[in-house]
């Protein structure tokens, strides 16, 4: 690793991990780049702060924290004799630092409205390639690792797998800031147990219990925080706000907002379109200018828009007059849904075509462990390798089973009891 | 205290203090009010997150935390036999909850630009009176306490003094989120030591060391966090951005921004003006619509404004290309200041009248203990009362002495070495 | 609850929960009693500090912490409308405070040697009855609750069940002091979810994920801390030390030790014997005089005893020259066991009858959830009640399945590789 | 630094600092040595656990923690260009690891009774030299550094000065385990600020506020924890117990205790005597066999001794019936002292010659900063060096002024009001 010039030797104060040292000049320069600074203005957990007031931490901190854990993991693996060159160490550090660079504000809501058809991984890659051009190819190896095109596959797995540094950081961090202390995981212990076998990331056998705890804590965080019903209600409302805004723009109605938001409301690009150079550069330019503040600031203005649907919805989010959300294991009886629809149209005169904005249902799913995707492998003393779901004496198949819940939303004030 | 209806019994998850219970229906309703929900969108420490990435916590959390400490203080005082009626307990709780309700986004910067001549205490009172009207006088007693017009003066001191619940909360909270752990104070122990003598808030003698530690920790937090040189540089830049925006608006130049920001840029109200009912209601309406997002979102658009001064400054804040700031105990030699002015005009062609935006100096001051204002009194076993600065065997006069430092700012890229 | 005289109003500083207030004079007086003060000299986790150096916390702290949680649980249940009289609240608090009063030093090792046939629950009850006499019957109700003879069974369950305050405290506390942070449980959240149905303790439905996390964290703590192989090795050695000491005493050999230890080494009482008043009072007198210090101090002297077996074993514990312990899922092949036996007798001249002290094997078991004993019940919104193992969508049967592991121990220096 | 053999690569779980890695084989072997393992049985804070129940942590953990901080300090200094060879790094690590190896149980009490005239630094050195012989001179450099005979004096200062790793660890650790959270210091930040100038340890200028906070936190810990009046009362009683035991032994009275305690009660060695080889080896042999357990276990037996003074005093410590202690800034009026003496002899028939055991007075002193001893130096950007007491704008002379308090002790039950 390069020796840093004094003015680029930097220590970052992190409430979760304490002092974090930056390891190389490239890392320092990437952090200074506007694309990365933008992450300071994007909350890690979107609207969750409406339920967990402390959860205002940003994707910036998360990226730095993941970088820190990557440094620890590299040290552990090297101590165990795994060969990682300095170039690889730098590259995998860059890859984790930038793994979320393509996240927009309120990611989940945004992805189903403003940038439909383009997920954040695609955008991350797009921005990494853009940065690679600016940095004269210094990110080549990082990108190969990110795209899983590098032979030492475990490097990719440190960046993206079910036990990647991304997850280890976000679980600890989200637990810390939300105040849900029991979501804490033993990131230190898990990292100490990492190993590599046949270029795959594996976990030493005595780490089994830590992995189980990690999976259960993750599941807890999902249902307790990420999929908290009030958080979901807020996110669904935000989706409806943006959908309505887009609909109005399409109809030619004028709505307030900064140019980049206007552009995104006006364009329906797909991943395919990004192959066109002009589209791509417009997309990037506008996308990297957007952050949480634009959505919030614009929504506040929309609270007074002449379109009653937009103003009603915007006001619901801004002033936290969230919709009632009911969650069930099975789908709602049709007549229940219809009942609220009828109230909407008859009592509140909502137009037929706008009903979906006020009374809507759907399905949320979650599985704590995806047995099909980059699964967690346990390395036994004998050299045998097994999936955690076999290695554990708890039946973890339940964790890999997708849990599916049904929801129904409508304005709280319409509740009849 | 009233028994709460089930749907108003509420527990808030706070990463600093754990679960916080809301004590009354009025408290619950005030928290739900848009004026208070607005605080969710105003960071407690303004631009400090540019240096301490975790410091994105908001005035909302701080107000709730202060409320929590007030509950503890009331319990302790009652146990010591201090008479506090339920009405007084409710009122002092409301007063602390709303003590910062008049804070705008990036308070310090805003107060010296957008709302010149009107400080946040004036605005807090204005908004409390507004809320009092809405709540049919239920805030009467809270307001009397807030204004220090209530005979039991210690209630006011719990809300505003050098040992109020405001400070106890913000020091712990800012220490927690900034990651400056050694700024932690013993809020629990200090509260246990509180007492009342002749209607004044006092501290039992054995609390002396805790108070000393509190004063020193506060001082540390000031120099380490609140007045961190990079934080200052960012705040000064933000002031210049807003000043420039105001100047342009005055000149009739069009600039982007939501209506409430436009209004504030266009009006120069003073505290005096607020006696006029119309001005007052316009002021309130616009002020409560403004939050961090408007400033950030607008500044991003201003990065591309045709006015080179505005765009340069806005870009400096948004992309964290902060100005160099030099800090000295004595004032800077005139020729140093002049030197950078000359560079500005000669090398970078800055117009004479715009020089103050690029090269500026000033003074920052701080005193950890203000011996003249609501000073901290120690109660000895003998019944004697003494100021902490006498009671302590450390010479705390230094703490009450105003520390004054001089700063000089200019663009980092102009630095000659 | 009684108002406390000033000198009995007491706050205890607990690193885990902060300040803990004592609620009644009886509680204060019980804590002052020599039987309870004795717990200050008994480590909660026995010899675990040989592996986790921070784990030197005592049964005293644990009892106080459990008392604190009981106070929270009572508050929550009362808020939910569960009827708990002041007398019941006091009694259940006393019961939890004293639930471990019958623990001796290094409990597990002691129970299989010095006080064979008398478990710590029996002794706890014995001591509580003794205290009841001293306190003129003030513990009557506490004892009924402890013995599960009181109609409101949930009170007993708060003291002893799979979700009692005992477990909630010890898991958090052991996690804190051992430094195994991921063993942390959400004691606060779990307590908020407690409820009562038909006099049974139940958990509100939305607490399911917290309970799962609690069970998994408990399992982790078992395998990571309580049954850590080095800890086990130390405990087995201690058992052997005490067995040998007892054997020597029986043979008339003189060994050093305080009178109470001598007495216990000399007597073989059973639970049955305690019905005899004289035996009982001798037993109590000697038992309550014994603590960790006697075992440690005596063992150090035994390191120089003329009996080579005693001195070898004592030295192994004191100077942490612990035996090698091998752990397998299946029983060890007989020839492996025999191999080390042969080494013992042939190479190290261990006498045939002493072989068990040097080479020994056995079985350890653990189940995180005992589906047969005071199981954890979930209360659904519909009013339905179900066992957690049914209510959860994870298959928790694995948790209630007893995990069985085999171990084999022998001196590390005999290892052949 | 040497690469460790696998079985000597060791990670220690520390609740304060997380995982601690051992850096060399010598360190590993020293930790395994009985002299060092003994520290597991010696509480860091003596009898403080009678007031702060969590404060049962040991000198073992403290030594390991100091070692950990030394590693961080070495890294920081090397990064700043300070030349530290691997041999020096190893040696200074050994020196800090063993700096407290000469502490006996309940150090302060012991030093004024059992090992009068020999302080723990002398004993530490004695034991280090003993170990050096065993390890064939491998500790030579460590000892030179410890004795301050090595030219690079800053290495000694890292081990022993007012900003040594010893203090940085014990303040954080004692704060953690006592639960006095506000005693926390910024050990990480202070270490980052360390530097070396002319072979002296100095602190970079921007560390001034951290140093002030460190000094004040230290002062707080002194008065709040180390010199807590109840802790003092317990320690004075323990001194009296040991004095009485020694007196009885001198008189030929038989008292219970392990051989090493008997030996120490029977011998009055001075530092001078240790020059005699036989005395020295006897002293060492007995001293290293003594720990907390011997004192506690013996005192329990002494509770039933026929000497009423010994049994009364021993019982006071064991069952926490501590003496009343009064503390004043000025000396107590003679008649007050006499009053309790009269009660003692007239009402409780205490013999004239035993009065000092029951009614005694004295002085305790403390200064947070010793301006004469290895003082803390601040390095200004200009290269100027100044003592912290000059560099700070707080008048720290008060901190270096010795605070002196007078105490008076007597049995609580004799109190007349």
């Amino acid at each position: 690793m390069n020796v840093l010039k004094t003015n680029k030797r930097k220590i970052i104060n992190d409430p979760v991990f304490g002092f974090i040292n930056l390891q190389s000049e490239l890392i320092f320069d990437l952090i200074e780049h506007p694309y990365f600074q933008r992450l300071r203005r994007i909350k890690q957990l979107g609207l969750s702060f409406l339920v967990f007031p402390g959860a205002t931490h940003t994707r910036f901190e998360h990226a730095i924290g993941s970088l820190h854990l990557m440094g620890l993991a590299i040290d552990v693996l090297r101590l165990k004799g795994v060969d990682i060159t300095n170039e690889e160490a730098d590259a995998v550090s860059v890859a984790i630092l930038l793994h979320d660079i393509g996240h927009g504000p309120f990611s989940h809501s945004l992805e189903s409205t403003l940038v439909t058809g383009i997920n954040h991984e695609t955008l991350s890659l797009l921005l990494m390639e853009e940065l690679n051009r600016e940095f004269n190819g210094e990110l080549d190896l990082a990108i190969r690792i990110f795209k899983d095109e590098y032979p030492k596959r475990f490097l990719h797995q440190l960046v993206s797998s079910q036990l990647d540094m991304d997850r280890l950081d976000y679980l600890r961090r989200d637990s810390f800031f939300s105040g849900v202390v029991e979501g804490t995981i033993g990131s230190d212990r898990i990292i100490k147990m990492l190993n590599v076998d046949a270029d795959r990331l594996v976990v030493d056998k005595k780490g089994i219990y830590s992995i189980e705890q990690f999976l259960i804590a993750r599941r807890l965080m999902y249902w307790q925080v990420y999929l908290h019903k009030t958080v979901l209600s807020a996110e669904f409302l935000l989706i409806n706000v943006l959908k309505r805004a887009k609909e109005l723009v399409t109809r030619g109605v004028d709505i307030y907002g900064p140019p980049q938001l206007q552009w995104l409301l006006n364009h329906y690009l797909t991943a395919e379109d990004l192959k066109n150079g002009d589209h791509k550069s417009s997309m990037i330019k506008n996308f990297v200018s957007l952050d949480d503040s634009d959505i919030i600031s614009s929504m506040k203005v929309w609270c007074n828009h002449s379109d009653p649907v937009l103003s009603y919805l915007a006001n619901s989010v801004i002033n936290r007059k969230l919709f009632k959300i009911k969650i069930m294991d099975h789908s709602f009886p049709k007549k229940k849904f219809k009942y609220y629809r009828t109230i909407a149209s008859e009592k509140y005169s909502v137009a037929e075509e706008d009903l979906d904005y006020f009374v809507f249902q759907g399905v949320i799913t979650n599985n704590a462990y995806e047995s099909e995707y980059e699964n967690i492998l346990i390395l036994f003393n004998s050299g045998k390798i097994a999936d955690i779901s076999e290695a554990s004496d708890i039946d973890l198949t339940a964790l890999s089973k997708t849990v599916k819940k049904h929801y129904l939303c409508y304005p709280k004030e319409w509740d009849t009891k």
Side-chain angles (χ1 to χ4, degrees), chain A:
Chain A
M1 245 168 269
N2 321 324
V3 171
L4 292 177
K5 294 187 211 145
T6 319
N7 63 340
K8 297 201 170 181
R9 193 190 300 145
K10 212 171 145 67
I11 294 163
I12 292 175
N13 226 38
D14 180 46
V16 178
F17 295 123
F19 286 125
I20 294 178
N21 288 282
L22 299 190
Q23 300 118 322
S24 80
E25 206 165 319
L26 176 58
I27 292 284
F28 179 86
D29 290 336
L30 286 169
I31 290 175
E32 293 253 296
H33 194 279
Y35 287 5
F36 195 83
Q37 289 294 320
R38 178 185 74 100
L39 298 181
R40 291 191 189 266
R41 301 186 297 269
I42 296 184
K43 284 188 205 51
Q44 176 75 6
L45 293 187
L47 291 171
S48 304
F49 74 97
L50 291 175
V51 178
F52 300 95
T56 57
H57 55 299
T58 68
R59 295 204 177 271
F60 181 89
E61 300 161 74
H62 162 57
I64 301 284
S66 305
L67 173 72
H68 169 69
L69 294 182
M70 185 63 83
L72 299 182
I74 291 168
D75 289 349
V76 165
L77 292 178
R78 281 176 164 173
L79 262 173
K80 293 190 183 176
V82 177
D83 179 44
I84 302 175
T85 67
N86 287 349
E87 288 65 36
E88 288 165 349
D90 279 354
V92 76
S93 297
V94 167
I96 195 70
L97 184 72
L98 302 180
H99 77 281
D100 269 355
I101 194 84
H103 263 294
F106 310 105
S107 254
H108 305 293
S109 311
L110 199 81
E111 286 187 13
S112 48
T113 50
L114 292 193
V115 291
T116 43
I118 309 175
N119 61 26
H120 69 87
E121 287 88 356
T122 308
L123 284 163
S124 287
L125 189 56
L126 215 63
L127 294 181
M128 284 173 75
E129 283 164 350
E130 198 68 17
L131 287 167
N132 197 24
R133 263 183 292 280
E134 268 192 51
F135 284 84
N136 305 312
E138 285 195 72
L139 281 69
D140 276 345
L141 185 51
I143 290 173
R144 284 181 67 199
I145 289 170
F146 186 78
K147 291 167 79 172
D148 203 6
E149 294 175 349
Y150 192 66
K152 293 186 181 175
R153 288 205 55 227
F154 71 88
L155 294 172
H156 173 77
Q157 291 175 312
L158 286 168
V159 177
S160 174
S161 70
Q162 295 203 59
L163 209 58
D164 56 31
M165 299 306 109
D166 175 19
R167 293 185 188 204
L168 292 191
D169 181 80
Y170 79 63
L171 284 173
R172 276 207 55 175
R173 193 166 298 276
D174 297 344
S175 157
F176 180 89
F177 283 99
S178 63
V180 180
V181 289
E182 67 270 35
T184 293
I185 59 161
S187 53
D188 277 6
R189 200 174 312 267
I190 290 172
I191 287 175
K192 295 280 180 217
M193 302 295 172
L194 291 182
N195 213 330
V196 165
D197 175 89
D199 282 337
R200 289 168 308 178
L201 194 64
V202 297
V203 178
D204 289 337
K205 192 226 167 185
K206 61 181 184 166
I208 287 185
Y209 300 111
S210 298
I211 299 299
E212 287 172 12
Q213 194 273 346
F214 160 79
L215 292 172
I216 295 291
R218 184 161 175 265
R219 177 177 147 97
L220 174 97
M221 286 299 288
Y222 264 89
W223 294 113
Q224 206 90 329
V225 180
Y226 309 141
L227 301 178
H228 186 285
K229 55 195 284 186
T230 313
V231 171
L232 290 177
S233 171
E235 287 179 353
F236 293 146
L237 272 171
L238 177 57
I239 290 177
N240 281 2
V241 168
L242 293 172
K243 268 193 189 151
R244 183 61 170 192
K246 202 151 186 169
E247 189 184 328
L248 292 174
V249 165
T250 312
R251 283 203 237 143
V253 179
D254 215 44
I255 72 168
Y256 173 84
Q260 67 275 25
L261 179 57
Q262 301 276 6
W263 190 92
L264 286 163
L265 287 170
N266 262 304
H267 290 78
Y268 289 83
L269 294 190
T270 63
E272 192 58 23
D273 295 329
L274 296 184
K275 292 184 180 155
N276 173 318
D278 285 355
H279 282 172
K280 193 171 79 174
S281 76
S282 296
M283 180 67 186
I284 288 178
K285 184 173 149 291
N286 285 287
F287 182 79
V288 299
S289 304
L290 196 74
D291 61 38
D292 287 10
S293 72
D294 304 307
I295 307 291
I296 297 291
S297 178
S298 302
M299 270 202 292
K300 285 194 299 163
V301 179
W302 300 348
C303 286
N304 301 311
H305 196 279
S306 60
D307 176 57
V309 175
L310 185 64
S311 65
Y312 185 94
L313 295 172
N315 183 61
S316 299
V317 178
I318 290 298
N319 290 315
R320 208 182 174 280
K321 305 197 171 307
L322 303 176
F323 279 21
K324 179 91 181 183
I325 181 166
K326 291 197 166 167
I327 296 205
M328 285 183 69
D329 291 341
H330 303 289
S331 68
F332 286 85
K334 277 196 180 150
K335 69 173 189 192
K336 191 141 205 175
F337 182 63
K338 233 168 168 177
Y339 169 76
Y340 286 105
R341 290 277 194 159
T342 310
I343 287 186
S345 51
E346 292 184 0
K347 198 155 158 202
Y348 296 94
S349 320
V350 175
E352 185 63 27
E353 64 271 24
D354 295 338
L355 277 178
D356 283 352
Y357 288 117
F358 293 90
V359 181
F360 50 92
Q361 57 183 354
V363 161
I364 46 169
T365 61
N366 180 43
N367 44 355
Y369 178 62
E370 296 155 60
S371 55
E372 304 303 311
Y373 161 70
E374 295 288 5
N375 46 353
I376 300 175
L377 298 177
I378 303 298
L379 172 63
F380 287 84
N381 300 339
S382 64
K384 205 190 83 179
I385 299 279
D387 188 288
I388 176 69
S389 63
E390 287 165 50
S392 165
D393 52 10
I394 296 197
D395 186 354
L396 293 168
T397 50
L399 290 183
S400 54
K401 212 178 56 194
T402 300
V403 180
K404 202 170 158 176
K405 302 206 179 183
H406 297 256
Y407 64 84
L408 170 64
C409 290
Y410 53 87
K412 204 172 271 171
E413 64 211 55
W414 295 2
D415 225 335
T416 37
K417 48 154 199 176

